[in-house]
């Protein structure tokens, strides 16, 4: 019987891994498909404005202040404690309702910011309704992430992954329908409705699994008081960490647009950002499969098991980055040219620097995902601030160095500085993970 139970568990783990990889593949395809479609249906000036909209969108999606990490840590500890006594917590279901309200407010505030940016001319477009609807459709990923993280904490990974795959396929169908003759307005409205349905279903699944009542979603005063009394400091540290990372990853979009009219540099960074996000998402999927074991080992103080699992996770992350680098070397230039309709080309030197950057990214991703799941937001913030400074300085340093060395390509200078920024941050995360393996809390 024990052998049959173990075999069933292994089969379930394999199915979950396949589902996660399928979701990652669709997520990666979505990131490139949006550019592929919009670069072909928008005039050049509108597409440049669309890239800035994407930057606003990325900022809003990422700037959920780490709420999803906080809820995962607390709900996971509560769930483990209820299941086998592995952890103790003061978790209350009302917390989820409060955090849900906060994230919904963030989406509304982000939409208001985008509307103001268009009114003030920061985002110049002749189709504001389409841009705004697309923003809201994409910003709903915040709610989808909340559902994903909360369901993962209560061991409902597979149910969510299968549901999310269906949502992503429907979204891609709505997007590519534009190339088949559908109106762009109709397409973005369909995306909005699909993501709304996905978020509602995720909350319903969480409601049932966590044993919540309708009143838990609406008890904002009681839940807010509990959050304020028990872990507002965690939210503050997580918010600072998240804002730091959001600014670090997205600031080059705005700084390039502000400091230069070089469209090629903006497109080069857009491609780099897409690759970073795709590889980071893939690594996250592999780490999420190991988080139940990692978090259990940490919370029961099994340092030896935790160390083995963390080393294995780091090796897998580096493997993902190495495979991505090989694929880029083989097909990166062709993908780049096709993605941006042949408007610009990608140099070999820039491609090699991007591959080096991805290896450093792997180390950072493993460290951030694991420490975030453990609730170590303060230490993560200290590791992220140098990365933020480096990322913000990359574009101004590029402009200054290019002015002093006019014979050197701007893209080459930018990618060199940007890659060094990632490498320096990765070294800090290696030091942090070595402390974790030694059992330092």
């Amino acid at each position: 019987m024990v052998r049959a139970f173990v075999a069933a568990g292994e089969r379930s783990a394999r199915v979950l891994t396949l589902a996660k990889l399928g979701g990652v593949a669709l997520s990666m395809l979505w990131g490139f498909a949006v550019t592929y479609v919009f670069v072909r249906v928008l005039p050049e000036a509108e597409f440049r404005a669309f890239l800035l909209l994407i930057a606003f969108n990325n900022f809003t999606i990422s700037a959920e202040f780490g709420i999803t990490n906080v809820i995962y840590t607390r709900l996971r500890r509560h769930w483990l404690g209820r299941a086998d006594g592995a952890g103790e917590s003061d978790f209350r279901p009302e917390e989820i309702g409060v955090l849900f309200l906060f994230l919904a407010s963030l989406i509304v505030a982000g939409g208001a910011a985008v509307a103001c940016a268009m009114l003030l001319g920061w985002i110049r477009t002749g189709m504001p309704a389409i841009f705004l609807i697309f923003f809201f459709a994409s910003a709903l990923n915040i709610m989808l992430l909340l559902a994903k993280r909360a369901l993962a904490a209560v061991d409902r990974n597979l149910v969510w992954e299968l549901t999310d795959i269906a949502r992503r396929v429907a979204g891609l169908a709505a997007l590519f329908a534009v190339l088949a003759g559908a109106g762009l307005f109709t397409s973005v409205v369909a995306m909005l409705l699909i993501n709304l349905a996905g978020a509602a279903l995720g909350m319903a699944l969480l409601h049932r699994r966590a044993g919540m009542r309708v009143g838990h979603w609406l008890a904002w005063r009681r839940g807010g008081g509990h959050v304020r009394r028990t872990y507002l400091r965690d939210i503050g540290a997580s918010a600072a960490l998240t804002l730091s990372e959001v600014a670090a990853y997205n600031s080059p979009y705005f700084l390039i647009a502000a400091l230069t009219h070089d469209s090629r540099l903006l497109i080069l960074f857009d491609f780099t950002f897409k690759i970073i996000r795709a590889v980071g998402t893939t690594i996250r999927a592999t780490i999420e499969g190991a988080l139940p074991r990692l978090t259990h080992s940490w919370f029961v103080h099994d340092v030896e098991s935790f160390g083995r699992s963390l080393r294995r996770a780091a090796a897998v992350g580096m493997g993902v980055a190495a495979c991505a680098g090989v694929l880029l070397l083989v097909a990166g230039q062709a993908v780049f040219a096709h993605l941006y309709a042949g408007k610009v080309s990608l140099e070999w030197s820039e491609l090699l620097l991007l591959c080096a950057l991805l290896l450093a990214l792997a180390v950072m991703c493993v460290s951030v995902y694991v420490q975030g799941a453990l609730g170590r937001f303060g230490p993560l913030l200290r590791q992220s601030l140098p990365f933020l400074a480096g990322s913000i300085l990359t574009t101004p340093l590029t402009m200054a160095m290019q002015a002093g060395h006019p014979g050197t390509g701007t893209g080459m200078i930018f990618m060199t500085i940007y890659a060094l920024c990632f490498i320096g941050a990765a070294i800090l995360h290696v030091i942090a993970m070595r402390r974790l393996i030694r059992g330092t809390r």
Side-chain angles (χ1 to χ4, degrees):
M1 181 178 293
V2 173
R3 185 175 298 174
F5 179 79
V6 172
E10 290 177 350
R11 284 195 299 271
S12 177
R14 285 196 293 269
V15 172
L16 176 60
T17 299
L18 290 174
K20 281 187 174 293
L21 290 175
V24 167
L26 289 171
S27 176
M28 293 169 62
L29 178 59
W30 173 262
F32 289 98
V34 167
T35 297
Y36 182 88
V37 170
F38 277 81
V39 77
R40 284 161 173 77
V41 299
L42 295 178
E44 184 174 349
E46 288 284 355
F47 181 68
R48 181 181 173 89
F50 181 71
L51 289 180
L52 290 180
L53 176 71
I54 291 293
F56 268 101
N57 186 30
N58 292 337
F59 188 88
T60 304
I61 293 172
S62 302
E64 38 87 21
F65 298 104
I67 294 298
T68 56
N69 283 332
V70 172
I71 202 65
Y72 175 87
T73 302
R74 290 183 57 78
L75 187 52
R76 182 63 181 165
R77 186 183 291 117
H78 168 73
W79 190 258
L80 288 172
R82 197 173 78 174
D84 58 9
E88 299 178 358
S89 77
D90 54 0
F91 175 83
R92 293 182 184 177
E94 294 92 335
E95 298 174 25
I96 297 178
V98 172
L99 300 182
F100 175 87
L101 175 66
F102 176 80
L103 294 179
S105 301
L106 183 62
I107 292 174
V108 174
V114 169
C116 288
M118 289 190 289
L119 287 173
L120 295 173
W122 297 343
I123 298 179
R124 299 180 182 276
T125 175
M127 45 186 74
I130 289 176
F131 274 37
L132 196 58
I133 294 171
F134 179 85
F135 171 84
F136 279 118
S138 299
L140 277 168
N141 278 293
I142 295 176
M143 294 301 188
L144 295 164
L145 182 58
L146 174 63
K148 175 181 180 177
R149 297 290 282 159
L151 287 168
V154 294
D155 294 324
R156 276 294 181 265
N157 282 294
L158 183 57
V159 173
W160 172 256
E161 291 298 337
L162 295 177
T163 300
D164 203 42
I165 284 174
R167 178 191 66 83
R168 291 183 186 278
V169 170
L172 284 167
L175 178 63
F176 281 113
V178 176
L179 298 181
L184 191 56
F185 181 82
T186 302
S187 176
V188 295
V189 169
M191 293 178 206
L192 176 63
L193 295 175
I194 289 166
N195 284 353
L196 275 172
L201 181 56
M203 295 304 127
L205 291 170
L206 175 60
H207 179 91
R208 181 176 180 180
R209 178 64 167 173
M212 296 177 66
R213 300 189 303 272
V214 174
H216 289 145
W217 294 96
L218 303 175
W220 298 325
R221 183 174 181 179
R222 185 166 62 251
H226 179 67
V227 169
R228 186 173 58 253
R229 287 190 304 272
T230 54
Y231 63 99
L232 191 61
R233 180 177 295 181
D234 279 351
I235 291 181
S238 178
L241 169 65
T242 304
L243 288 174
S244 172
E245 292 206 331
V246 168
Y249 282 107
N250 289 279
S251 60
Y253 271 119
F254 301 104
L255 289 170
I256 291 171
L259 298 179
T260 177
H261 296 292
D262 186 353
S263 295
R264 183 187 181 277
L265 186 57
L266 188 61
I267 288 175
L268 173 62
F269 176 73
D270 182 62
F271 182 75
T272 301
F273 181 87
K274 283 178 168 52
I275 296 297
I276 288 172
R277 196 156 102 175
V279 174
T281 301
T282 306
I283 294 172
R284 180 162 195 157
T286 63
I287 300 305
E288 283 176 348
L291 279 183
R293 183 171 59 253
L294 277 162
T295 52
H296 185 277
S297 298
W298 180 261
F299 290 133
V300 300
H301 308 289
D302 186 349
V303 176
E304 184 176 348
S305 175
F306 177 83
R308 285 197 305 270
S309 298
L310 182 56
R311 290 188 190 94
R312 190 179 301 118
V316 171
M318 293 292 286
V320 170
C323 290
V326 171
L327 288 174
L328 279 173
L329 292 175
V330 172
Q333 289 179 312
V335 170
F336 186 88
H338 186 65
L339 181 64
Y340 297 101
K343 294 180 179 180
V344 293
S345 60
L346 180 64
E347 301 296 331
W348 265 106
S349 57
E350 297 164 348
L351 191 58
L352 290 170
L353 286 165
L354 178 55
C355 292
L357 182 155
L358 293 181
L359 292 174
L361 173 70
V363 175
M364 295 168 62
C365 285
V366 173
S367 175
V368 169
Y369 297 156
V370 171
Q371 291 194 72
L374 301 178
R376 292 172 51 84
F377 305 115
L380 274 177
L381 177 60
R382 291 193 294 271
Q383 295 149 28
S384 73
L385 292 178
F387 176 56
L388 169 63
S391 181
I392 291 176
L393 289 172
T394 295
T395 304
L397 286 174
T398 297
M399 297 298 103
M401 293 184 67
Q402 204 279 331
H405 302 83
T408 306
T410 307
M412 173 65 177
I413 297 173
F414 176 87
M415 289 302 297
T416 300
I417 300 173
Y418 202 49
L420 289 174
C421 173
F422 273 77
I423 292 169
I427 292 172
L428 296 179
H429 282 283
V430 167
I431 295 170
M433 287 193 289
R434 286 173 62 88
R435 288 174 56 83
L436 285 178
I437 290 174
R438 291 198 300 268
T440 303
R441 294 177 179 262

